[in-house]
Amino acid sequence: DAGVIQSPRHEVTEMGQEVTLRCKPISGHNSLFWYRQTMMRGLELLIYFNNNVPIDDSGMPEDRFSAKMPNASFSTLKIQPSEPRDSAVYFCASSFGGLAGFAGDYEQYFGPGTRLTVT
Amino acid sequence: AQSVTQLDSQVPVFEEAPVELRCNYSSSVSVYLFWYVQYPNQGLQLLLKYLSGSTLVKGINGFEAEFNKSQTSFHLRKPSVHISDTAEYFCAVSARVAGKSTFGDGTTLTVKP
């Protein structure tokens, strides 16, 4: 298996532009997570999907951020409009497991990340 | 809700010395526990996990951790570290009914020659 795939690996954009980050989870995994990592704030969970349904989006910083999971093999995280303070490394992770009654061990497999720089 | 406290933000140690990275957690329900490692410019990868059974868990690269329910701790240990162990280490806890993990703030392990 190729693992979790993220694209692009690096993105440099100007303030005000729309940014779309993409993620392909590991086949067979039913949970998908988007994280943001910065020196100041560490690793933050932005949103969590289970069986393609958003379960917890309490970490999404504001309305400029949106995430979708149209099917089990693809997810996007969009920032519109982008701001310099959005500069960070964004990770996607997937796991097998989920809500009560669904077997799994919740070990998360992380992608290599997208380094976003907003100037 | 769960929370994780990694008691040391930075741990410097000399090569071939033993190391312990400390992790305490709180939860009102049964949990799974994890340690992840992040090398520079990479994503996190699993070192080891505790799901049930033996409280001493062995992972990759010679690391092990012990689950202590009474002290709500899950400390990571290695008897002899290498330069290549220099990385950031994250402790994480997942409630067995939640599906998501709560991560600690990370501990930077620096191994010096």
Side-chain angles (χ1 to χ4, degrees), chain B:
Chain B
Q2 295 75 47
S3 68
V4 178
T5 302
Q6 291 186 240
L7 298 165
D8 306 291
S9 60
Q10 298 196 34
V11 174
V13 64
F14 287 105
E15 193 174 19
E16 298 184 3
V19 70
E20 178 180 79
L21 306 184
R22 298 180 293 167
C23 173
N24 287 351
Y25 71 93
S26 68
S27 176
S28 57
V29 299
S30 296
V31 297
Y32 297 145
L33 294 158
F34 308 85
W35 275 99
Y36 291 83
V37 61
Q38 184 180 28
Y39 298 106
N41 300 313
Q42 295 186 25
L44 282 68
Q45 62 185 86
L46 186 75
L47 266 181
L48 47 79
K49 60 187 176 185
Y50 171 78
L51 304 181
S52 65
S54 173
T55 57
L56 183 62
V57 179
K58 293 188 183 299
I60 62 171
N61 300 340
F63 284 92
E64 64 180 33
E66 186 158 17
F67 169 55
N68 188 318
K69 188 174 183 180
S70 63
Q71 297 188 9
T72 60
S73 67
F74 191 55
H75 300 335
L76 180 70
R77 302 185 182 98
K78 186 170 182 178
S80 176
V81 294
H82 303 290
I83 299 287
S84 59
D85 293 322
T86 295
E88 188 156 18
Y89 292 80
F90 292 89
C91 181
V93 61
S94 176
R96 297 188 181 192
V97 296
K100 68 175 184 177
S101 291
T102 299
F103 285 80
D105 290 335
T107 296
T108 301
L109 174 65
T110 303
V111 181
K112 299 180 286 187

Side-chain angles (χ1 to χ4, degrees), chain A residues 51-104:
Chain A
N51 292 327
N52 311 336
V53 176
I55 302 300
D56 182 355
D57 65 355
S58 59
M60 295 286 264
E62 49 198 273
D63 291 346
R64 297 185 297 107
F65 284 70
S66 62
K68 294 182 179 179
M69 191 165 187
N71 56 61
S73 60
F74 184 66
S75 176
T76 60
L77 178 69
K78 185 177 293 186
I79 308 172
Q80 166 64 17
S82 58
E83 296 182 2
R85 59 186 168 136
D86 301 330
S87 297
V89 180
Y90 290 81
F91 288 105
C92 175
S94 69
S95 72
F96 179 65
L99 303 178
F102 199 104

Side-chain angles (χ1 to χ4, degrees), chain A residues 2-68:
Chain A
V4 175
I5 298 173
Q6 291 187 247
S7 64
R9 294 293 310 276
H10 301 273
E11 177 80 38
V12 180
T13 191
E14 292 183 348
M15 183 174 62
Q17 297 298 306
E18 177 180 295
V19 175
T20 299
L21 311 181
R22 297 172 175 80
C23 175
K24 177 179 169 55
I26 291 173
S27 176
H29 283 185
N30 67 330
S31 293
L32 184 139
F33 309 83
W34 282 102
Y35 293 90
R36 177 171 69 177
Q37 187 176 41
T38 61
M39 290 291 291
M40 290 293 293
R41 301 173 70 92
L43 188 68
E44 303 172 274
L45 176 65
L46 300 178
I47 187 168
Y48 153 46
F49 292 87
N50 183 256
N51 292 327
N52 311 336
V53 176
I55 302 300
D56 182 355
D57 65 355
S58 59
M60 295 286 264
E62 49 198 273
D63 291 346
R64 297 185 297 107
F65 284 70
S66 62
K68 294 182 179 179

